[in-house]
Amino acid sequence: MEKVSQSWKARVFYSRTVFLLVCTGLLGFLLASIVMIVRMGSVDISIGDIFSVMVYQLFRIGDAQRYGTGTISDIVWFIRLPRIFLAIAVGMGLSVCGVVMQAVVKNPLADPYILGISSGASLGATVAILLGVGAVFGGNFVGIMAFLGAFLVSLLVQGIANLGGRSNAVKLVLAGMALSAVCTAFSNLAVYMTNDSDGVRTVTYWLMGSLAAADWTNLAIVLPCILAGSLFFWTQSRTLNLMLLGDETAVTLGIHLSVWRHVFLLISSAMIGLLVYSSGTIGFVGLVIPHMIRMLFGTNHKRLIPLTALTGSVFLLWSDILCRVVIPGTELPIGILTSAIGAPCFLFLMIRKKYGFGEGAR
């Protein structure tokens, strides 16, 4: 019976037609969500006004007084649209990096933060806020320090994993866990030793994650980098598939996975650093979304990466909306909501279905 069920699943969910239909449906829903969400808020704005603002801001065509400098322009172009596109970038980046991290360490329960990247970013942000480290970088020094912390920890993880021989998935996980503990300890020490109550509150809120600081200046850097990184990983689907099969199999095909692990980790860490820089730390997106898509559509990364990217974008987009309406008069940090949604979903998936990485990798 189980073999019949798996065969039916392979014919339906693993087919190229279903993959294209699901991708088209997700993309259409994403575009519809953008239009719906940009209208949501205390000020009701028509679809015509939204497109008029976008046309004027992009091409300078239309009523400059109404769509260039007026209230409608400020709300649509400078408040709502940047936040929407940041949510898309963060959801896409976290989900794609989750897929890559799970392939690199050969563990479907891994996420972008398992290798200490989140703790490194937290440490960078904490010392920036409480001790003023990195103030020479200007007004965005907290985000820049978080980016540097994430990136440096990824380098240290790879360096430690290579001690005493070539790195492998187990050594990477152990090195990441060790450095994560060290970074967390120093972050807690900085919080414990400081007398700056306002700084401690800022650190706490920043670590919970928020999209409220979205603007076009940051998006001009974050969005192209996330799109480029996701596209790169999609082109490397064959290598990611080989990582699930093991180093021995890859060597017989002339591919040395240890080199690619370093490349993938560096690029993933840079992407996570940029996302932490722009939105703080947001958990469970890179864990739950890839887990759900893999269970439905298999482990072939040629399908898995685009499906995960689209699903993660939609998930975070609507999570951000819930954060603004779940408690009237205030905004819930998005990291709290994603954890509250992600943890039960993840436990349900673990209880409901057990699977291996080898299924569907074709």
Side-chain angles (χ1 to χ4, degrees):
M1 185 69 179
E2 184 177 354
K3 290 183 178 179
V4 173
S5 176
Q6 290 179 354
S7 175
W8 176 85
K9 180 180 177 182
R11 289 196 304 270
V12 175
F13 287 100
Y14 299 163
S15 70
R16 179 181 177 84
T17 302
V18 171
F19 164 70
L20 293 175
L21 286 174
V22 173
C23 280
T24 303
L26 285 172
L27 183 59
F29 183 65
L30 178 61
L31 295 175
S33 297
I34 293 174
V35 176
M36 292 171 59
I37 291 172
V38 80
R39 296 189 63 194
M40 293 181 179
S42 57
V43 179
D44 188 23
I45 302 175
S46 68
I47 295 178
D49 284 339
I50 292 170
F51 282 106
S52 295
V53 169
M54 295 175 65
V55 168
Y56 180 83
Q57 293 292 344
L58 292 173
F59 306 108
R60 290 296 185 265
I61 300 174
D63 188 346
Q65 185 174 358
R66 178 175 175 81
Y67 301 121
T69 58
T71 303
I72 294 178
S73 174
D74 292 343
I75 293 173
V76 172
W77 188 256
F78 295 105
I79 297 177
R80 294 183 183 177
L81 281 177
R83 186 161 182 155
I84 287 171
F85 283 106
L86 180 60
I88 291 173
V90 173
M92 179 186 299
L94 290 177
S95 300
V96 170
C97 288
V99 170
V100 174
M101 292 290 182
Q102 289 163 10
V104 166
V105 302
K106 292 180 64 176
N107 188 341
L109 308 185
D111 73 347
Y113 302 138
I114 194 173
L115 299 182
I117 297 173
S118 174
S119 298
S122 301
L123 177 60
T126 300
V127 298
I129 294 172
L130 298 180
L131 306 179
V133 178
V136 294
F137 293 121
N140 292 324
F141 75 100
V142 175
I144 294 174
M145 287 299 297
F147 169 81
L148 292 176
F151 195 73
L152 290 175
V153 166
S154 70
L155 294 177
L156 287 172
V157 166
Q158 295 179 70
I160 294 173
N162 278 286
L163 294 176
R166 181 173 292 179
S167 67
N168 54 43
V170 175
K171 292 172 70 176
L172 286 170
V173 171
L174 293 176
M177 292 175 64
L179 285 177
S180 178
V182 171
C183 291
T184 301
F186 278 106
S187 296
N188 292 336
L189 178 64
V191 172
Y192 177 77
M193 296 295 292
T194 187
N195 293 320
D196 184 2
S197 58
D198 291 335
V200 172
R201 264 197 308 271
T202 302
V203 169
T204 303
Y205 185 79
W206 190 87
L207 294 178
M208 292 178 183
S210 175
L211 303 176
D215 60 57
W216 290 115
T217 302
N218 290 340
L219 273 173
I221 300 173
V222 174
L223 189 57
C225 290
I226 297 303
L227 290 173
S230 300
L231 182 60
F232 167 77
F233 286 129
W234 193 25
T235 64
Q236 300 300 314
S237 297
R238 181 172 178 270
T239 303
L240 289 168
N241 288 339
L242 285 174
M243 285 185 176
L244 306 184
L245 301 177
D247 291 69
E248 294 80 5
T249 303
V251 168
T252 62
L253 298 176
I255 298 177
H256 296 282
L257 294 182
S258 61
V259 176
W260 284 107
R261 283 195 183 96
H262 294 316
V263 173
F264 292 165
L265 283 178
L266 286 175
I267 296 175
S268 297
S269 299
M271 291 172 65
I272 295 297
L274 284 172
L275 297 177
V276 170
Y277 159 76
S278 58
S279 63
T281 54
I282 301 174
F284 276 95
V285 178
L287 176 63
V288 175
I289 300 299
H291 200 73
M292 293 174 59
I293 300 300
R294 188 182 290 109
M295 288 181 63
L296 289 173
F297 298 98
T299 58
N300 185 348
H301 288 85
K302 192 171 184 179
R303 294 189 297 260
L304 184 60
I305 288 178
L307 288 172
T308 301
L310 290 170
T311 305
S313 299
V314 171
F315 172 76
L316 207 67
L317 197 57
W318 284 101
S319 295
D320 185 47
I321 287 296
L322 286 176
C323 287
R324 286 182 273 169
V325 301
V326 69
I327 302 178
T330 187
E331 180 180 326
L332 184 71
I334 193 169
I336 295 177
L337 184 65
T338 56
S339 298
I341 296 174
C345 289
F346 180 63
L347 291 175
F348 173 78
L349 291 171
M350 287 182 62
I351 295 170
R352 173 101 181 189
K353 177 75 175 179
K354 294 182 179 179
Y355 68 98
F357 260 139
E359 182 183 349
R362 57 182 183 272

